[in-house]
Amino acid sequence: MKKAINLPLEQISGIIEMALSDHVSFEDIKTEYGISDKQVKTLMRHELKSSSYKNWRKRVRDFGERREIYK
């Protein structure tokens, strides 16, 4: 199992808020918080309910196919 990301609660909340936004890319999150897209996905998997995580990943993949630069 992967190691959990040790961040303050307010930073975790900020990352989740940014990740759930359709207007923020993984690159923007990396610039602000210094964590990779894989780390964001791991964080989201641990913090969201399973169904919410699956819906978020589907939305990210769907947008990624429609936009050149997205998550």
Side-chain angles (χ1 to χ4, degrees):
M1 191 161 143
K2 292 184 181 179
K3 221 175 161 184
I5 300 169
N6 293 325
L7 295 171
L9 185 58
E10 56 274 354
Q11 284 188 350
I12 290 173
S13 295
I15 292 167
I16 291 171
E17 185 176 334
M18 288 178 79
L20 290 173
S21 172
D22 292 338
H23 305 288
V24 179
S25 70
F26 284 126
E27 191 60 39
D28 294 336
I29 296 170
K30 185 175 185 175
T31 299
E32 180 140 349
Y33 292 100
I35 64 172
S36 70
D37 58 329
K38 288 184 181 185
Q39 290 173 311
V40 172
K41 292 172 191 172
T42 300
L43 177 75
M44 296 294 278
R45 184 178 296 117
H46 287 103
E47 296 296 324
L48 298 179
K49 293 188 298 185
S50 179
S51 60
S52 297
Y53 174 77
K54 289 175 186 175
N55 289 333
W56 173 73
R57 285 297 298 139
K58 182 181 182 325
R59 195 173 79 236
V60 168
R61 279 191 301 272
D62 289 347
F63 274 121
E65 292 171 2
R66 286 185 266 165
R67 294 183 185 177
E68 186 175 319
I69 300 176
Y70 191 67
K71 295 183 180 175

